[in-house]
Amino acid sequence: MGENTILVSACLCGVNCRYSGDSNADEKVKALFKSSILLPVCPEQLGGLSTPRAAAEIVNGAGKDVLLGKAKVMNKNGEDNTEAFLRGAHEVLNIVKMEGITKAILKAKSPSCGCGIIYDGTFSGNKVEGNGVTAELLIQNGVEVITEEDL
């Protein structure tokens, strides 16, 4: 593997790991399998969350605030999923470091994987500037992160 490998959100590859139990299969991402080595991961599953699961959003901040302990990741049922999101983000970082990965394509707007824009924590569809927990941790560790919308 190594630095030619691109980390990618598993849901973009067609893996049914989204909170709803389905995928966000993206044809542009799937086409990359022909020319690149892609390593699919789902931070939320790596953090111990089940599929399907209740939708979650970052409340009162973004990924950087969660990493600093200033914001939480709550699911739609009011349950605190912060520890699972942090655990998943750190597991992904371990994989990135182990494999020498320097680039990631992550799912836009996700509380784990969103880059640049995420949902605002009100479960109303509103969006705010910021990164998901995993995206932020990867960026802080020198990984180039884009979303499928940037392809």
Side-chain angles (χ1 to χ4, degrees), residues 2 11 15 51 63-65 71 96-97 103-104 115 128 130 134 142-143 146:
C11 62
V15 176
T51 300
K64 67 180 178 183
D65 303 303
V96 162
K97 287 181 174 181
K103 184 172 183 179
C115 184
V128 294
T134 298
V143 177
I146 64 170

Side-chain angles (χ1 to χ4, degrees), residues 44-112:
E44 295 171 28
Q45 286 184 335
L46 287 169
L49 295 174
S50 65
T51 300
R53 58 191 168 274
E57 294 185 6
I58 298 172
V59 178
N60 296 323
K64 67 180 178 183
D65 303 303
V66 174
L67 292 171
L68 292 170
K70 296 179 178 181
K72 294 185 179 216
V73 184
M74 303 295 291
N75 73 20
K76 201 167 189 170
N77 298 331
E79 298 164 328
D80 187 342
N81 288 163
T82 305
E83 287 305 313
F85 274 71
L86 288 169
R87 188 170 41 253
H90 285 282
E91 288 297 331
V92 170
L93 181 61
N94 287 338
I95 292 166
V96 162
K97 287 181 174 181
M98 191 170 38
E99 296 298 331
I101 295 171
T102 60
K103 184 172 183 179
I105 303 169
L106 302 180
K107 176 65 190 115
K109 303 177 199 85
S110 158
S112 290

